[in-house]
Amino acid sequence: MRKHEVLNGIQLTPEDRQKIEEAISLLTESIDSVTSETLAYRTSWLANRSTAYKLIGEFERAVADMEATLRFQSNDPAFTKQYAFMLHSNGQHDRAIELLRTVLGKPEVPEAALILAGILHENGKSDEAKEVLEATNTDGFEPALKMEMKRLMVH
């Protein structure tokens, strides 16, 4: 029988963990070899390594990589959303809420309203969560996203 490790609500086999650690190693090599011509890739590599660290439960490293990513691209809504979700996963709900509010309504991250509403609801702020969802313009949202918003508004 294979032993599975559960980290951050995700079940990992030893093989999965090894693959993620190999990916981290490759991303680290890439990040460390950045030249001025490839600097644009560095933020994506940092964000991806951050996700990999999160998957294996290394939250401090994951957060540090997202903070570095945001130093390079502080106005990127997708990176801000990713950082907020990571902070939430690490128990820093108030900071996550604050960051998600900064990207509400940005077309790059329509799901930010759902994530924010979910965090608010989990923290006993269901009325505030409902207000966020009701104030969200759903024009252009995928049908699945609209359905999830309706589902959250019922709860």
Side-chain angles (χ1 to χ4, degrees), residues 87-139:
L87 291 173
H88 166 66
S89 296
N90 201 24
Q92 297 179 40
H93 310 295
D94 291 338
R95 179 73 177 126
I97 289 168
E98 178 184 321
L99 286 169
L100 286 168
R101 287 190 188 285
T102 69
V103 297
L104 278 180
K106 304 280 183 178
E108 302 93 326
V109 288
E111 69 281 5
L114 280 172
I115 296 168
L116 175 58
I119 293 171
L120 289 167
H121 180 74
E122 286 177 20
N123 287 280
K125 300 176 180 177
S126 296
D127 290 342
E128 199 173 339
K130 186 175 180 181
E131 288 173 16
V132 167
L133 293 174
E134 288 173 342
T136 300
N137 180 356
T138 60
D139 293 344

Side-chain angles (χ1 to χ4, degrees), residues 2-16:
R2 294 167 93 181
K3 181 166 171 42
H4 291 80
E5 182 177 15
V6 178
L7 292 168
N8 195 33
I10 297 170
Q11 192 174 37
L12 293 176
T13 64
E15 295 84 11
D16 292 336

Side-chain angles (χ1 to χ4, degrees), residues 55-99:
L55 288 171
I56 62 170
E58 294 190 24
F59 289 106
E60 287 180 21
R61 287 177 152 180
V63 167
D65 274 359
M66 280 312 302
E67 288 171 347
T69 300
L70 288 168
R71 278 194 299 277
F72 288 110
Q73 291 190 352
S74 61
N75 295 323
D76 187 295
F79 289 147
T80 301
K81 178 202 70 172
Q82 183 176 341
Y83 181 48
F85 192 71
M86 191 169 292
L87 291 173
H88 166 66
S89 296
N90 201 24
Q92 297 179 40
H93 310 295
D94 291 338
R95 179 73 177 126
I97 289 168
E98 178 184 321
L99 286 169

Side-chain angles (χ1 to χ4, degrees), residues 2-55:
R2 294 167 93 181
K3 181 166 171 42
H4 291 80
E5 182 177 15
V6 178
L7 292 168
N8 195 33
I10 297 170
Q11 192 174 37
L12 293 176
T13 64
E15 295 84 11
D16 292 336
R17 184 180 181 94
Q18 182 179 356
K19 287 177 186 175
I20 293 169
E21 287 172 347
E22 287 172 17
I24 289 170
S25 178
L26 291 170
L27 286 163
T28 300
E29 267 183 58
S30 298
I31 291 164
D32 291 345
S33 68
V34 168
T35 62
S36 60
E37 298 86 47
T38 58
L39 189 59
Y41 296 113
R42 188 165 199 230
T43 54
S44 293
W45 295 335
L46 281 164
N48 287 332
R49 187 175 70 177
S50 173
T51 300
Y53 278 137
K54 181 178 176 266
L55 288 171

